[in-house]
């Protein structure tokens, strides 16, 4: 209900300029891709303030999954997080307030690449910990890629499809290569991708990005 009311209010109030909010680029590493059964292993968050990445205010934490049952060899080959690294990690319940604090402000926006997946994990985690979820405004870079593709269709007769994977779209846009499948590195990669997409879309307001 709160999210519906927020959307109604946003529709009738003047749209803020795109660089007025604080975007918190977020990435999660998990034991798998099923929010109903898999667990969060690490969280990375990188803020964008006044249109610029403020790396000094980044946040990163491993989280103890409670059980290593879902930590398969296949998952480890992707994120390279070993069980021994997680032994002394804080439980997710103590990390959630760190996430909530950064997303709680009226000017805070959650930024993610394929946001529905991260949101599903976060919402389940917040419900499980009985911690209130602030339902922040969300910007999804995959949605922005789709909008850029639609724009190209209006300008070019037969444009090639744009890649959706984070590493591939960054390479396509000639952004520098970086380490992938690390929550903090992917959060930074998403923040950089967002700024590149925003410029190519010539978006001037937050409403044009959500």
């Amino acid at each position: 209900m709160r999210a519906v009311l927020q959307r109604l209010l946003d529709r009738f109030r003047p749209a803020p300029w795109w660089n007025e909010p604080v975007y918190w680029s977020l990435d999660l590493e998990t034991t798998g891709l099923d929010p109903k059964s898999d667990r969060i292993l690490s969280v990375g968050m990188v803020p964008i303030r006044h249109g610029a990445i403020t790396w000094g205010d980044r946040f990163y934490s491993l989280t103890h999954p409670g059980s290593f049952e879902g930590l398969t060899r296949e998952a480890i080959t992707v994120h390279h997080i070993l069980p021994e690294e997680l032994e002394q990690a804080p439980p997710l319940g103590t990390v959630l307030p760190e996430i909530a604090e950064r997303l709680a402000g009226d000017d805070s926006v959650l930024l993610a690449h394929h946001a529905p997946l991260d949101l599903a994990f976060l919402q389940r985690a917040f419900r499980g910990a009985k911690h209130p979820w602030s339902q922040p405004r969300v910007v999804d870079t995959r949605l922005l890629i789709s909008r850029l593709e639609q724009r190209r269709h209006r300008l070019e007769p037969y444009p090639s499809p744009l890649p959706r994977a984070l590493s591939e779209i960054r390479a396509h846009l000639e952004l520098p290569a970086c380490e992938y499948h690390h929550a903090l590195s992917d959060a930074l990669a998403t923040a950089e991708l967002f700024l590149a997409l925003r410029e190519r879309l010539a978006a001037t307001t937050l409403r044009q990005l959500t």
Side-chain angles (χ1 to χ4, degrees):
M1 179 63 72
R2 180 178 174 180
V4 174
L5 291 173
Q6 184 64 56
R7 286 195 293 269
L8 288 173
L9 288 172
D10 288 344
R11 184 180 300 175
F12 293 105
R13 69 175 49 153
W17 295 107
W18 80 270
N19 57 356
E20 288 181 19
V22 178
Y23 299 85
W24 280 99
S25 180
L26 176 142
D27 186 74
L28 306 173
E29 292 301 323
T30 62
T31 57
L33 298 177
D34 187 350
K36 295 181 180 179
S37 58
D38 288 308
R39 297 176 176 89
I40 297 173
L41 300 177
S42 64
V43 179
M45 299 180 75
V46 174
I48 301 173
R49 291 190 172 94
H50 308 296
I53 295 170
T54 51
W55 179 245
D57 294 331
R58 65 192 180 276
F59 170 75
Y60 175 75
S61 179
L62 292 170
T63 68
H64 196 292
S67 168
F68 296 120
E69 182 178 352
L71 192 57
T72 63
R73 184 184 300 273
E74 290 77 12
I76 293 174
T77 59
V78 174
H79 52 59
H80 303 291
I81 300 175
L82 301 174
E84 50 266 34
E85 296 180 82
L86 298 169
E87 287 288 357
Q88 302 302 317
L92 181 59
T94 66
V95 177
L96 294 179
E98 296 282 354
I99 301 173
E101 180 182 359
R102 288 164 172 81
L103 298 177
D106 290 338
D107 64 341
S108 294
V109 175
L110 173 61
L111 171 66
H113 190 72
H114 192 31
L117 183 61
D118 290 311
L119 282 171
F121 271 99
L122 288 174
Q123 289 167 351
R124 178 175 180 268
F126 274 76
R127 283 197 306 270
K130 294 182 171 55
H131 196 293
W133 173 246
S134 62
Q135 296 182 337
R137 289 172 291 186
V138 177
V139 171
D140 188 344
T141 47
R142 282 175 63 103
L143 176 61
L144 299 184
I145 295 168
S146 296
R147 291 181 182 173
L148 182 60
E149 197 169 60
Q150 292 168 6
R151 181 171 180 171
R152 291 177 63 203
H153 273 283
R154 293 195 296 267
L155 299 175
E156 304 173 28
Y158 301 104
S160 57
L162 291 175
R164 296 300 194 269
L166 182 59
S167 59
E168 294 175 6
I169 186 60
R170 282 178 57 89
H172 180 85
L173 297 179
E174 300 183 345
L175 294 172
C178 62
E179 179 185 1
Y180 294 105
H181 300 298
H182 182 283
L184 187 59
S185 178
D186 281 357
L188 176 60
T190 299
E192 292 175 342
L193 173 62
F194 164 73
L195 293 175
L197 291 170
R198 199 288 312 172
E199 182 177 2
R200 284 165 173 78
L201 289 167
T204 58
T205 67
L206 176 60
R207 189 173 297 161
Q208 293 171 323
L209 297 167
T210 55

